[in-house]
Amino acid sequence: MNVLHGGKVVTAIDIGTTKICVLIGIADGKGGIEVIGMGTAPSHGLKKGVIVDIGLTVQAIKIAIILAEKNSGLTVGPVVVGISGGHIQSFNSKGVVAIKRRDVMPDDIERVIEAAKAVPIPQDREILQIIPQYFRVDGQENVLDSLGMHGIRLEAQVHIITGAVSSAHNIITACELAGLKVEDIVLEQIASAEAVLTDSERELGVGILDIGGGTSDFALYRSGRIMHSKVIPIAGNHFTNDLAIGLEASLKISEDVKRKYGFVTEESYINFDTALLELTREVDQKVKKVELYRVYQVLNPRAEEVFDFLHEEMMLYHLKEIMPLGLVLTGGGALLRGMEELAQTILDIPIRVGIPFSDSDDNALLVPDSIKSPIYATGYGLLLYAVRGQQAVSESLKNIPIMSRVLHRMKSWIYEYL
Ligand SMILES: Nc1ncnc2c1ncn2[C@@H]1O[C@H](COP(=O)(O)OP(=O)(O)OP(=O)(O)O)[C@@H](O)[C@H]1O
Ligand SMILES: [Mg+2]
């Protein structure tokens, strides 16, 4: 039976900047899934969602797989793996040609788009899609359809979307070196949205911001599709690094302090067990006392930076009007106290924190408490994605090895972007 559709064992791997998470589930054949086991391992081979050390990544995947197998009593089969939004980038470019026969013909349009395409693209990237935005015929600007227009000079502005195909290959290679067969790769933003957004939110217009360790990935859904996406290069690790500098403590201590005492709005201050922290100074190992308020002073500007970044993007592209249901925060960074309130103040839209949920009435298919955390949004979404067969691999492509299908898969996500 087919693993993606047949109600058998399904395995998802979220290869994150801070952790590798393996989830094993059993599909019920009707689009639902029962989570049977989970394994996580700290991840040290990635920077900003991109693999920089395959060996370390393979080791961590192996550990997470062993734990998930032990936890579930099952052996993993083919896996569905996530790829970070940072692998997709886009920019605008212009091209100019002479109109050959004074009236714009289809071949003029082809040539001008070719000319706009002729820009240096980094070696590890491939063009996934080119979207003509507007044309200019002689002095006439903002022409949407230039065919048949009279003139001498045709100019086009195109939006070029590229994908880091070699990085996707690295993810597949790491899984294969860990002894796994990759059934499919999925953009992490699409997976997280699957886990934490409702169908009606996606239909009416909502944003999702996955604040991970390395990056905060934004996607805007409307009419059931992704309309806009942006990777914000600030996330949980930056908060921890700031604390390490601000408190002169080690990264380990700073991470613990952030989780236990971190807050980013004055209103989110709760009665912690102390108002004074005793921390070991990294440089000389001396113990010093730090007021808890200092933690807020360090974390607050960083959190504001994340939401200011998003606010600017929303203003630039007039996104607020098309996301009436507001923004859903997810990823481990959404656990920091006060993030929800701060986002609400800066963005002035409804905000909620998204945790994996199940829309099934069947008790067996409910999400287990152990993964009801924004940290597992991507992993659970990957499982759902695999089961529901969204963007199912077309029949003709099923027998082609995933490595040869990567470019096709990446292009299929972009179709969703339009
Ligand atoms: N309780 C908590 N309070 C504050 N921050 C937290 C908490 N728990 C986890 N985090 C932070 O969440 C981040 C990890 O989130 P997540 O697991 O979603 O990232 P990832 O998937 O590994 O990374 P990425 O998606 O960027 O590749 C870390 O920076 C961690 O410090
Ligand atoms: Mg993540």
Side-chain angles (χ1 to χ4, degrees), residues 14-19 84 188 192 210-215 217 331-332 374-375 378-379:
D14 172 14
I15 301 182
T17 309
T18 66
K19 51 110 190 32
S84 121
E188 283 171 9
S192 302
D210 183 331
I211 309 171
T215 56
D217 299 347
I375 290 181
T378 307

Side-chain angles (χ1 to χ4, degrees), residues 16-19 49 212-215 236-237 255 258-259 331-333 335-336 375:
T17 309
T18 66
K19 51 110 190 32
T215 56
N237 286 351
E255 178 71 26
K258 180 179 80 171
R259 290 185 188 213
L335 287 170
L336 196 53
I375 290 181

Side-chain angles (χ1 to χ4, degrees), residues 139-200:
Q140 196 172 336
E141 302 215 31
N142 293 330
V143 176
L144 294 179
D145 186 2
S146 60
L147 193 65
M149 285 183 71
H150 193 73
I152 299 171
R153 183 177 191 272
L154 177 66
E155 197 176 318
Q157 174 162 308
V158 298
H159 191 64
I160 299 180
I161 303 177
T162 67
V165 175
S166 61
S167 304
H169 281 168
N170 284 344
I171 288 182
I172 295 165
T173 304
C175 288
E176 289 182 347
L177 288 173
L180 304 167
K181 178 179 183 300
V182 177
E183 179 91 29
D184 203 357
I185 53 172
V186 178
L187 197 63
E188 283 171 9
Q189 282 140 308
I190 297 177
S192 302
E194 190 76 34
V196 304
L197 299 184
T198 63
D199 288 348
S200 57

Side-chain angles (χ1 to χ4, degrees), residues 30-162:
K30 292 179 283 180
I33 182 128
E34 187 179 356
V35 181
I36 304 291
M38 174 175 75
T40 59
S43 163
H44 300 294
L46 278 86
K47 280 220 162 74
K48 294 191 179 293
V50 175
I51 293 183
V52 291
D53 188 323
I54 288 207
L56 285 177
T57 309
V58 172
Q59 260 179 31
I61 293 175
K62 281 185 176 168
I63 295 169
I65 288 282
I66 290 170
L67 292 173
E69 287 186 335
K70 220 168 144 187
N71 190 232
S72 64
L74 296 168
T75 307
V76 305
V79 299
V80 173
V81 60
I83 177 168
S84 121
H87 295 88
I88 309 283
Q89 281 170 13
S90 60
F91 59 93
N92 289 339
S93 170
K94 280 186 179 159
V96 186
V97 292
I99 301 168
K100 270 192 193 158
R101 291 173 291 272
R102 294 292 177 265
D103 290 324
V104 177
M105 298 291 182
D107 69 304
D108 293 315
I109 296 178
E110 252 173 56
R111 281 189 305 119
V112 78
I113 290 175
E114 273 305 310
K117 229 171 90 176
V119 283
I121 305 248
Q123 258 185 356
D124 68 331
R125 301 204 147 257
E126 291 207 35
I127 292 179
L128 300 180
Q129 199 162 100
I130 297 172
I131 307 156
Q133 291 184 314
Y134 62 81
F135 298 91
R136 186 170 165 177
V137 182
D138 293 345
Q140 196 172 336
E141 302 215 31
N142 293 330
V143 176
L144 294 179
D145 186 2
S146 60
L147 193 65
M149 285 183 71
H150 193 73
I152 299 171
R153 183 177 191 272
L154 177 66
E155 197 176 318
Q157 174 162 308
V158 298
H159 191 64
I160 299 180
I161 303 177
T162 67

